[in-house]
């Protein structure tokens, strides 16, 4: 039996909600901004459902939308909707000020901030979202042959910036891997 | 900065109600994407199927044209639309309709659809030409130089994505270059379609867009129309104590532009009511209530065709202040959150 549009969307939303919200939270200053990005991203997905790729390509597509929404929000062009009001309130209440359950060590985050915005972005997608070059290329609208060397260079630059300590200096090793 | 929570930690946050509510809100939003675009669509119908959130992300082709307020009257800012060289392109082929347009004078993307086929026209600044050509030379495992072809009487290079989807980068002209990409079509069909592409300047581009599209050349007139429509019911247009100096919009969908400008007028009066409420100024509150009470008649809100939920929100605020209730979110910060009021 063919899945209805509503069923397809509910499945997409259930599968990717945490990932999109996590993506937004990791790139915004305030929980309510993350709620806005999440709401806008899923609204785009709802309206353009026939264009959303299936399988493993879905999440990079959603990240790509969230990236554009976020860029727009940062430019100040963001037009807030009434959507997600309760989510905004709940997030403002429940997102902790600090947490041990983070994607990266603080020293790695500090070092990453010294990199160029381009290097930061490709590293964040790799280390925070766990994307491979092919998926990063999808998010950024580039080809894999461009992303692969860019990621490689960015990782090398990051390693150079990290203090030499007994702990594993490779950022990826400090990442809490999600399934 | 928010903590860099893992997705697993995000999943543990107690957001069940907010998450479920958002899902239902989104699924009750109208779906526009499957509608076709007709060049002769009626003016007030939003048949141009750029989704609301995407439209919010669309950059204006030129900066929004502001209205300047002089005293309590309005004066046209007189922003010239200006001209530009012909470096954009549009497709004139039977059955192909505009799907999305995103961009500004510098770079942009225009997508056409016909059934399951896509044709995309991009324009980029000349300084990015070498980078794009180099990138396209590497879209295959073994780097391959583009095949020389002619596009619009000028040299171009063509490659195939995944061995099947053609793309061509045209030589620089007027400080920009074009990339034209086809999806789900043979190379022969793609090359034939290139014959139906024509070069246009900014005005020509705007003229080729669906009627609900508002670019810089039409935007000022559209803002004027919206304010004129509201002025039929609201005089003065803004509260006497308001410091607002202009109205503008970067929206390029006529309906969304109208709602945004009307929203900004409503924001002024909601703020005025809030200040009066705090000061206990009954007469001033009543004046704001009377103005907001006419908002159901404001043409830009009344005739909006469902691309935005803001008309309903404005009217619900109007009802609340009419009932003497301070709306739950009627503080400047939260008006920004819910309605998008600036400041």
């Amino acid at each position: 039996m063919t899945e209805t549009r509503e069923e397809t969307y509910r499945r997409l939303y259930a599968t990717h909600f945490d990932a999109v919200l996590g993506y937004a939270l990791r790139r915004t200053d305030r929980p309510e901004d993350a709620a806005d990005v999440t709401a806008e991203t899923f609204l785009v997905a709802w309206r353009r459902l026939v264009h959303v790729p299936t399988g493993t390509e879905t999440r990079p597509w959603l990240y790509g939308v969230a990236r554009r929404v976020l860029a727009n929000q940062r430019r100040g062009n963001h037009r807030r909707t009434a959507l997600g009001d309760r989510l905004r309130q709940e997030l403002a209440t429940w997102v902790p000020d600090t947490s041990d359950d983070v994607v990266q060590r603080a020293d790695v985050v500090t070092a990453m901030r010294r990199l160029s915005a381009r290097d930061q972005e490709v590293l964040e997608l790799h280390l925070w979202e766990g994307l491979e070059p092919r998926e990063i290329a999808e998010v950024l609208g580039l080809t894999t042959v461009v992303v692969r060397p860019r990621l490689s260079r960015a990782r090398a630059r990051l390693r150079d910036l990290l203090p030499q300590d007994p702990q594993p200096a490779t950022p990826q090793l400090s990442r809490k891997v999600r399934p | 900065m928010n903590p860099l929570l893992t997705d697993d930690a995000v999943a543990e946050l107690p957001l069940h109600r907010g998450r479920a509510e958002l899902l239902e809100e989104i699924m009750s939003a109208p779906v526009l994407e499957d509608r076709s675009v007709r060049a002769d669509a009626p003016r007030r119908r939003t048949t141009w199927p750029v989704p609301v959130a995407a439209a919010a992300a669309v950059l204006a082709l030129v900066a929004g044209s502001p209205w300047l307020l002089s005293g309590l009257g309005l004066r046209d800012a007189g922003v010239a639309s200006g001209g530009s060289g012909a470096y954009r392109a549009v497709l004139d082929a039977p059955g192909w309709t505009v799907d999305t347009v995103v961009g500004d004078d510098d770079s942009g993307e225009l997508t056409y659809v016909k059934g399951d086929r896509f044709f995309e026209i991009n324009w980029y600044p000349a300084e990015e030409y070498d980078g794009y050509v180099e990138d396209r030379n590497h879209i295959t495992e073994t780097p391959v130089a583009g095949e020389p072809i002619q596009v619009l009487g000028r040299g171009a290079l063509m490659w195939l994505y995944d061995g099947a989807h053609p793309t061509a980068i045209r030589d620089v002209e007027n400080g920009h270059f074009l990339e034209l990409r086809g999806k789900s079509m043979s190379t022969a069909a793609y090359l034939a379609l290139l014959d139906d592409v024509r070069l246009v300047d900014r005005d020509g581009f705007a003229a080729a867009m669906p009627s609900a599209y508002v670019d810089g050349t039409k935007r000022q007139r559209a803002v004027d129309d919206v304010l004129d429509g509201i002025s039929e019911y609201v005089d003065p247009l803004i509260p006497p104590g308001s410091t607002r100096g202009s109205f503008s919009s970067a929206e390029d969908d006529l309906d969304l532009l109208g709602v945004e400008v009307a929203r900004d007028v409503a924001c002024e009066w909601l703020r005025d009511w809030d200040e009066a409420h705090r000061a206990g100024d009954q007469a001033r509150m009543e004046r704001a209530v009377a103005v907001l009470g006419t908002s159901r008649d404001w043409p830009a809100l009344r005739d909006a065709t469902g691309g935005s939920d803001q008309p309903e929100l404005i009217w619900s605020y109007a009802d609340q202040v009419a009932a003497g209730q301070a709306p739950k979110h009627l503080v400047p910060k939260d008006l920004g959150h819910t309605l998008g009021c600036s400041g």
Side-chain angles (χ1 to χ4, degrees):
Chain A
M1 201 169 115
T2 310
E3 196 175 51
T4 66
R5 178 188 177 90
E6 283 71 22
E7 288 167 341
T8 302
Y9 186 76
R10 284 183 190 280
R11 187 167 45 76
L12 176 144
Y13 186 88
T15 305
H16 301 288
F17 179 87
D18 294 330
V20 171
L21 178 57
Y23 175 98
L25 275 170
R26 291 188 285 270
R27 287 164 177 79
T28 48
D29 289 329
R30 304 181 310 162
E32 51 267 50
D33 290 338
D36 281 344
V37 170
T38 304
E40 292 276 2
T41 301
F42 278 107
L43 181 63
V44 172
W46 167 243
R47 293 191 190 276
R48 295 185 64 80
L49 194 56
V50 296
H51 299 288
V52 180
T54 55
T56 56
E57 291 177 19
T58 306
R59 190 161 297 181
W61 186 91
L62 288 167
Y63 285 147
V65 173
R67 178 175 179 262
R68 289 189 288 278
V69 173
L70 190 61
N72 198 45
Q73 189 183 70
R74 286 172 177 159
R75 281 195 299 268
N77 293 337
H78 181 59
R79 188 166 64 81
R80 289 182 187 278
T81 73
L83 294 179
D85 201 27
R86 186 178 295 279
L87 181 64
R88 268 194 291 273
Q89 293 166 22
E90 288 185 341
L91 269 176
T93 305
W94 291 112
V95 168
D97 289 331
T98 56
S99 171
D100 289 331
D101 205 4
V102 296
V103 289
Q104 215 159 56
R105 280 181 1 215
D107 59 341
V108 180
V109 173
T110 304
M112 272 173 63
R113 287 186 185 141
R114 294 171 59 192
L115 296 171
S116 70
R118 200 171 79 164
D119 284 352
Q120 268 187 56
E121 182 166 40
V122 75
L123 275 174
E124 286 168 359
L125 288 166
H126 184 57
L127 300 175
W128 296 1
E129 274 72 40
L131 300 186
E132 296 305 318
R134 177 181 54 77
E135 295 165 310
I136 295 171
E138 284 290 322
V139 177
L140 301 180
L142 299 169
T143 61
T144 308
V145 287
V146 171
V147 167
R148 204 180 295 279
R150 185 180 293 181
L151 177 61
S152 175
R153 283 194 297 270
R155 290 181 60 155
R157 287 178 188 133
L158 178 61
R159 264 189 230 105
D160 290 343
L161 291 172
L162 286 171
Q164 300 300 315
D165 63 24
Q167 296 181 55
T170 306
Q172 201 166 11
L173 297 180
S174 66
R175 174 163 66 103
K176 291 200 174 182
V177 180
R178 58 180 171 74
Chain B
M1 186 78 190
N2 290 322
L4 300 174
L5 296 179
T6 63
D7 290 355
D8 289 344
V10 171
E12 294 298 315
L13 295 172
L15 306 172
H16 312 298
R17 290 179 65 191
R19 177 180 168 139
E21 207 166 274
L22 176 62
L23 174 63
E24 297 309 322
E25 286 172 338
I26 288 173
M27 291 180 61
S28 65
V31 176
L32 309 177
E33 67 182 354
D34 297 330
R35 298 192 210 168
S36 64
V37 176
R38 291 168 53 86
D40 58 350
R43 184 169 179 271
R44 277 285 173 187
R45 305 293 300 175
T46 307
T47 52
W48 181 45
V50 175
V52 169
V58 168
L59 299 175
L61 284 175
V62 295
S65 54
W67 272 66
L68 299 180
L69 302 179
S70 175
L72 296 181
L74 297 167
R75 182 163 58 80
D76 192 322
V79 176
S81 61
S84 63
Y87 57 81
R88 299 176 180 85
V90 295
L91 178 68
D92 278 333
W96 287 87
T97 54
V98 174
D99 183 57
T100 53
V101 54
V102 181
D104 54 24
D105 277 345
D106 216 29
S107 61
E109 172 188 319
L110 170 63
T111 307
Y112 291 86
V113 292
K114 183 179 183 182
D116 61 352
R117 287 176 289 167
F118 286 80
F119 185 75
E120 191 179 293
I121 300 173
N122 299 275
W123 63 95
Y124 300 110
E127 57 266 28
E128 294 183 16
Y129 176 86
D130 290 343
Y132 270 87
V133 169
E134 179 62 17
D135 184 83
R136 300 306 182 250
N137 282 338
H138 291 81
I139 60 178
T140 46
E141 281 299 321
T142 308
V144 176
E147 178 187 345
I149 61 170
Q150 287 284 309
V151 176
L152 295 164
R154 190 171 280 254
L157 296 168
M158 184 178 75
W159 299 263
L160 293 178
Y161 272 96
D162 301 325
H165 308 294
T167 189
I169 290 182
R170 184 176 180 264
D171 291 349
V172 171
E173 184 174 16
N174 287 324
H176 292 75
F177 68 93
L178 290 169
E179 180 173 24
L180 308 105
R181 297 176 69 161
K183 288 181 187 169
S184 305
M185 67 181 74
S186 67
T187 302
Y190 170 78
L191 291 171
L193 202 56
L194 291 180
D195 290 338
D196 295 325
V197 174
R198 65 185 168 89
L199 213 55
V200 291
D201 62 11
R202 192 163 64 198
D203 291 344
F205 183 86
M209 293 299 103
S211 58
Y213 176 83
V214 188
D215 85 326
T217 62
K218 299 179 188 170
R219 190 171 290 118
Q220 183 171 336
R221 186 66 250 163
V223 171
D224 292 357
D225 287 347
V226 172
L227 293 173
D228 285 348
I230 298 172
S231 294
E232 295 288 317
Y233 301 91
V234 182
D235 182 24
L237 192 61
I238 58 174
S242 170
T243 56
R244 187 176 189 99
S246 65
F247 285 98
S248 65
S249 172
E251 290 288 357
D252 41 21
D253 177 291
L254 196 57
D255 268 2
L256 295 175
L257 178 146
V259 170
E260 184 171 288
V261 172
R263 183 273 318 269
D264 287 345
V265 174
C267 287
E268 293 300 314
W269 288 101
L270 285 166
R271 278 204 197 89
D272 192 57
W273 185 91
D274 185 49
E275 286 172 17
H277 185 247
R278 289 169 197 270
D281 185 338
Q282 194 62 33
R284 189 176 164 196
M285 285 168 63
E286 286 172 6
R287 183 183 61 194
V289 165
V291 167
L292 290 164
T294 67
S295 60
R296 280 189 172 80
D297 294 321
W298 298 358
L301 301 180
R302 184 191 64 207
D303 301 337
T305 53
S308 167
D309 52 6
Q310 294 212 334
E312 294 288 344
L313 198 57
I314 291 166
W315 297 332
S316 81
Y317 280 150
D319 292 343
Q320 288 178 68
V321 295
Q325 302 163 355
K328 186 177 162 190
H329 299 298
L330 195 51
V331 293
K333 174 174 167 287
D334 288 333
L335 271 183
H337 277 304
T338 51
L339 264 187
C341 296
S342 58

